[in-house]
Amino acid sequence: MIQHMPLSAPRYTPCPIPPPTLKELQDTDDAGRPLEPFTAREDGVPVHCVGSPLRCCLRDIEPGERIALVSYAPLRRWAAATGAEPGAYCELGPVFIHAGACDGPDGDAAGYPFARAGALRTVRRYNADGQIVGGRFFEIPEDAETGFDAVFDEAFADPEVALVHVRALEYGCFQYEVRRP
């Protein structure tokens, strides 16, 4: 899947799954399941995944890559590092990761990841306690960078917002996190 991205750096920083967390997920995921790696194939066997987002490096899956579908609780991980108590807001969901070594996002990549015009997203806002304090539906416009900048500006205009999660609307899957600058 070819993505057309602007040549500038985004105003906000999309956060991938951090390397220490990736290593943990490559052993046991957040649902307590062991890693079950497979090779991404164009024919969709065993899972249709080519072109889907990798949350460890914030790019699309390419055929032939060794990957895994794991359960991930991003808010739980953030809360453990910050001392927050998200309680029932701590969601667990499926994400694709590399099954082995990953160098993280390409430092030369521009724009926001997975920013295909017309794709539908939800942008959930969380406070420092890990509770949802708002959110919004977002259809990615042709100028994705400007659109995402405006959505994040809106979210962080509320001083209570500590971080936001970008999720795919269709399946609710976590895409990435953006923290207050």
Side-chain angles (χ1 to χ4, degrees), residues 89-164:
Y89 295 104
C90 186
E91 296 180 79
L92 183 67
V95 296
F96 288 107
I97 62 170
H98 277 114
C102 177
D103 294 330
D106 179 355
D108 295 330
Y112 292 101
F114 323 125
R116 181 178 40 84
L120 305 175
R121 300 289 183 258
T122 58
V123 179
R124 285 200 201 142
R125 304 167 188 176
Y126 296 89
N127 65 17
D129 294 325
Q131 299 166 341
I132 294 175
V133 292
R136 75 186 307 275
F137 165 80
F138 177 61
E139 182 174 349
I140 301 174
E142 286 296 324
D143 184 351
E145 186 169 341
T146 299
F148 271 112
D149 283 346
V151 167
F152 297 140
D153 285 346
E154 176 186 293
F156 291 118
D158 179 347
E160 190 176 6
V161 174
L163 74 153
V164 298

Side-chain angles (χ1 to χ4, degrees), residues 11 36 44 58 63-64 72 80 109 120 136:
R11 191 170 7 182
E36 297 179 17
L58 302 181
Y72 178 52
L120 305 175
R136 75 186 307 275

Side-chain angles (χ1 to χ4, degrees), residues 11 18-19 23 25 27 49 62 76 90 96 100 105 124 134 141 153:
R11 191 170 7 182
K23 288 192 181 304
L25 294 170
D27 180 46
C49 62
E62 297 176 5
R76 180 188 312 165
C90 186
F96 288 107
R124 285 200 201 142
D153 285 346

Side-chain angles (χ1 to χ4, degrees), residues 33-95:
R33 298 174 328 117
L35 190 73
E36 297 179 17
F38 60 93
T39 300
R41 293 175 27 177
E42 291 278 4
D43 64 5
V45 175
V47 175
H48 287 283
C49 62
V50 171
S52 294
L54 284 161
R55 281 36 165 246
C56 49
C57 54
L58 302 181
R59 67 167 178 78
D60 293 342
I61 296 170
E62 297 176 5
E65 289 189 278
R66 290 293 286 170
I67 61 168
L69 182 61
V70 299
S71 292
Y72 178 52
L75 196 59
R76 180 188 312 165
R77 298 291 185 144
W78 171 81
T82 64
E85 295 286 339
Y89 295 104
C90 186
E91 296 180 79
L92 183 67
V95 296

